[in-house]
Amino acid sequence: MLPKKKYAYQADMPYARQPLKAIYVGQRMFTTLFMVIWWAVYYSVMPRKYRPRPSWTVKCCISVNFTRRIYRVTELAGVTWGTRNPDKPCKTSQLKWTRFEWVDPLPEDLRSGIIADEQVPFKRVGCFIWPKEKPKVIPACSSDASPHSNDNLMDSGELEAAAGEVPLIGIFLHGGGYCHMSAHENAPTSQIPERLIKDKAFTEIHAVEYRLLQHAPFPAAVQDAAAVYAHIVRRHQRQRAAKSPSSRGKSSTLTPDDETKRKGQEITDYLSAENSDYVSQALHKKENDAIHTRVTELAANTNCKIILIGDSAGGNLVLALARWIRDEGVLPPPDGLLLLSPSCDPSHAFPDTPSSYVPRPHADTDYLVDTPEPRALLQRTFLGHNPVETMHSPYVSPASSRVLRAFYGDAFAESVADLTIAQLDDTHRQFLRNMSSAPATPVPSTPLASAAIPRLITGPPEAAGPEQERSPTSLARPVIASPRGLSLFSEFPRSCVVLGDAERLEREVMRLVGAMERDGVDVHTVWVQDAPHDVLMMGWWDERVRDTVWGQVEEWVRQV
């Protein structure tokens, strides 16, 4: 039997080498099984007030404690689970609920912005598509046809057959910290697309087998997700000659209310040197108007709606994909984002100084671990050849305090630093939307970055000086900003955020929600009381609670 491949990031883990790995994992499993017996007795005998949350059942208490101990093995021994080789095909005949399809690499005419990296090749992407039988409303797609040919577009016969029904397509990006899980139908996270298809909330869901950090560094995962998104958009494109007023596809990217809101934000409140430069503002307005016209035409010519779905790290990838679509303006935007406990501040593992590290909350009520050194090692592997400062890019950590200060100033960043989901009522939402920006205090570069690595400038590209040629969509010379004078989340699609108030990511997710509210995004939050991280993925949680959450999520989906 061939030895299991060892990845570079495991070299610095204390128990990643044999025989220490086998000894550590063995004793951890043995002691954990002993602890299960102890927890069962303890939580059955003691009053409910001694449980992590009084509402939890004994099963919930045991499950969280058990999972937390197992997750510790990942940090110290580099054990991964539920993964598969993204280059390996899967026979549809061996699948029960899904069908497997390859998606061609992202077309060359779309390879721009953050995903254009000479050291990370574009590759074909595997997808597990729910349900197994293709719905009739989904057009055929010829894998050998040119992506620019009309063979991939719907003809008049298909248009007539699809009249009256606009398919709702989901693109599911699984969680797992970019190092665990897969898109396979048997993966634990596949409970999410399985339930959505079972309840007929979507016509079809494409679960993307994107490359994990073991296989390729950032931006490989974004490249793979973008390839699938572009594939679906082009598959559902109508032939231009076949357009008719009776077609029921999306007629516009922006509703009249959205258009009014956008026009009211033409002079952006993003605090930068550009705001006093009316020439720059005029150029940005002209460029944004041209992009709006282009994507509106593309959206009107697309006979489907698309929602990006992601849990945990998959939510982080959804945000990166949505940002790339907005920044580049070469594809129509998605119709919605479904974010399930999204990871939105990986930079938390990189404090300015070791003494300034602040542990994430809810250590006793969540199964996620919070040891900064192993997390930083995984994140550094995720970045690969990119500078450490890229960790503070809006594409990687959109809810980091440094990013929020760069866009909105110190006052706003402080106002959402400790925001909880219980505090977010209508009054607080209105306060966030109307809060004014103020100058941000200059932030020093991350100490981990060497002198050879360029410092990540906060503010517009011009703040770095023209000789540095920095860009908001560059990996080599990054800057905390958005192109064309846009704010952090301006022009993002409507979003639904599911969050438990007992999970470690509560604060960073609420900073994300606060920033979205600040930029006028239509954000719907689903508050899951006493729930740990990614509750919809946890088959062992209280099913009544999960059913209630699923009902709220599917109601939001129906309104998209």
Side-chain angles (χ1 to χ4, degrees):
M1 182 176 178
L2 293 175
K4 190 173 180 180
K5 182 177 179 181
K6 184 173 181 179
Y7 298 100
Y9 73 93
Q10 297 172 330
D12 296 323
M13 293 182 171
Y15 300 112
R17 295 182 177 87
Q18 298 291 5
L20 289 178
K21 183 174 183 176
I23 295 173
Y24 174 75
V25 174
Q27 69 84 20
R28 192 74 177 179
M29 294 299 297
F30 176 79
T31 56
T32 299
L33 292 175
F34 173 80
M35 291 298 296
V36 167
I37 300 174
W38 162 249
W39 292 325
V41 174
Y42 178 82
Y43 290 121
S44 297
V45 173
M46 300 299 290
R48 279 186 172 269
K49 67 179 181 179
Y50 291 100
R51 298 179 183 180
R53 291 289 173 103
S55 66
W56 286 11
T57 64
V58 173
K59 181 181 178 181
C60 291
C61 296
I62 294 174
S63 299
V64 169
N65 289 339
F66 176 86
T67 308
R68 186 189 304 124
R69 284 184 62 86
I70 298 303
Y71 267 46
R72 183 68 173 170
V73 175
T74 302
E75 288 194 337
L76 299 181
V79 176
T80 59
W81 58 84
T83 63
R84 64 183 299 274
N85 185 348
D87 296 324
K88 183 180 179 180
C90 186
K91 294 182 179 179
T92 298
S93 59
Q94 298 175 346
L95 300 172
K96 185 176 182 180
W97 308 109
T98 60
R99 64 187 190 273
F100 181 84
E101 291 183 5
W102 286 110
V103 171
D104 290 335
L106 188 70
E108 291 188 9
D109 61 313
L110 301 180
R111 299 178 185 180
S112 61
I114 202 77
I115 63 173
D117 188 332
E118 294 181 354
Q119 299 188 51
V120 181
F122 289 85
K123 305 184 72 173
R124 67 174 182 171
V125 187
C127 281
F128 292 86
I129 305 176
W130 301 76
K132 187 166 187 174
E133 297 297 327
K134 187 177 73 172
K136 293 181 179 179
V137 73
I138 303 297
C141 181
S142 174
S143 59
D144 1 82
S146 166
H148 304 287
S149 74
N150 287 336
D151 293 340
N152 286 330
L153 304 181
M154 298 179 70
D155 59 27
S156 56
E158 290 176 315
L159 277 173
E160 185 177 350
E165 183 176 359
V166 177
L168 180 58
I169 310 298
I171 297 179
F172 177 65
L173 304 171
H174 67 83
Y178 287 112
C179 62
H180 303 294
M181 308 297 179
S182 79
H184 193 279
E185 63 179 30
N186 292 332
T189 53
S190 291
Q191 297 179 63
I192 295 169
E194 179 183 10
R195 177 63 181 260
L196 292 171
I197 287 295
K198 178 183 176 182
D199 292 348
K200 299 181 179 180
F202 286 81
T203 309
E204 193 175 67
I205 296 179
H206 293 241
V208 183
E209 193 71 279
Y210 62 86
R211 285 169 284 177
L212 302 176
L213 60 81
Q214 301 97 305
H215 309 122
F218 183 82
V222 188
Q223 291 178 354
D224 296 344
V228 176
Y229 185 84
H231 166 77
I232 293 174
V233 168
R234 291 188 166 179
R235 169 183 282 192
H236 290 268
Q237 284 284 296
R238 301 184 183 94
Q239 293 182 9
R240 295 176 184 270
K243 282 200 302 183
S244 67
S246 62
S247 298
R248 291 190 56 189
K250 294 181 289 182
S251 60
S252 175
T253 303
L254 301 174
T255 64
D257 290 341
D258 293 335
E259 184 66 20
T260 301
K261 185 187 299 182
R262 183 180 67 79
K263 289 182 178 178
Q265 296 174 344
E266 290 291 358
I267 299 180
T268 176
D269 56 29
Y270 169 32
L271 192 71
S272 71
E274 296 176 286
N275 279 2
S276 60
D277 186 346
Y278 294 102
V279 175
S280 295
Q281 289 186 18
L283 291 174
H284 289 160
K285 182 180 184 303
K286 183 177 180 181
E287 188 175 0
N288 284 327
D289 287 345
I291 288 176
H292 291 147
T293 300
R294 179 169 64 249
V295 299
T296 298
E297 181 182 356
L298 287 170
N301 205 40
T302 304
N303 192 59
C304 74
K305 292 183 178 181
I306 302 175
I307 294 180
L308 306 182
I309 311 165
D311 69 306
S312 194
N316 181 278
L317 183 51
V318 163
L319 291 167
L321 175 60
R323 185 170 302 280
W324 174 79
I325 294 170
R326 182 203 68 171
D327 288 355
E328 298 308 309
V330 292
L331 290 169
D335 294 270
L337 310 180
L338 179 52
L339 305 168
L340 312 174
S341 298
S343 170
C344 42
D345 185 18
S347 69
H348 180 265
F350 293 86
D352 291 332
T353 61
S355 60
S356 67
Y357 182 81
V358 178
R360 296 181 294 184
H362 307 311
D364 296 330
T365 57
D366 199 7
Y367 55 84
L368 292 183
V369 287
D370 196 54
T371 312
E373 292 82 3
R375 289 176 55 226
L377 179 60
L378 286 173
Q379 298 299 344
R380 191 65 189 90
T381 305
F382 170 70
L383 293 181
H385 58 280
N386 298 299
V388 176
E389 290 289 356
T390 306
M391 186 54 63
H392 293 280
S393 165
Y395 278 90
V396 179
S397 301
S400 77
S401 295
R402 185 180 297 190
V403 170
L404 297 185
R405 283 187 166 87
F407 278 91
Y408 312 115
D410 296 341
F412 179 86
E414 291 298 328
S415 71
V416 297
D418 295 314
L419 181 64
T420 66
I421 192 168
Q423 297 171 336
L424 191 66
D425 54 17
D426 292 339
T427 302
H428 205 106
R429 289 178 187 270
Q430 194 64 30
F431 168 76
L432 293 172
R433 286 178 179 267
N434 296 330
M435 192 171 184
S436 300
S437 297
T441 302
V443 181
S445 60
T446 302
L448 293 177
S450 66
I453 298 177
R455 182 171 64 89
L456 187 61
I457 302 296
T458 59
E462 288 79 357
E467 74 284 352
Q468 293 179 300
E469 297 180 354
R470 293 185 181 272
S471 167
T473 58
S474 166
L475 285 174
R477 309 193 68 80
V479 57
I480 299 181
S482 291
R484 308 185 304 278
L486 297 172
S487 191
L488 184 59
F489 290 106
S490 58
E491 302 182 8
F492 260 58
R494 69 182 71 184
S495 302
C496 176
V497 179
V498 178
L499 178 66
D501 61 10
E503 64 174 285
R504 281 190 175 273
L505 301 189
E506 184 189 18
R507 297 295 191 272
E508 66 185 66
V509 175
M510 291 311 299
R511 292 199 298 270
L512 171 78
V513 172
M516 284 183 156
E517 292 282 0
R518 173 67 181 77
D519 285 336
V521 179
D522 181 1
V523 187
H524 176 68
T525 52
V526 178
W527 175 13
V528 192
Q529 294 188 9
D530 296 337
H533 181 65
D534 206 357
V535 69
L536 293 182
M537 186 267 292
M538 297 158 55
W540 38 262
W541 200 252
D542 190 330
E543 199 59 34
R544 294 171 299 176
V545 173
R546 284 166 27 100
D547 284 342
T548 300
V549 176
W550 278 122
Q552 296 178 15
V553 167
E554 290 166 4
E555 178 61 28
W556 176 84
V557 170
R558 284 191 290 270
Q559 296 173 4
V560 172

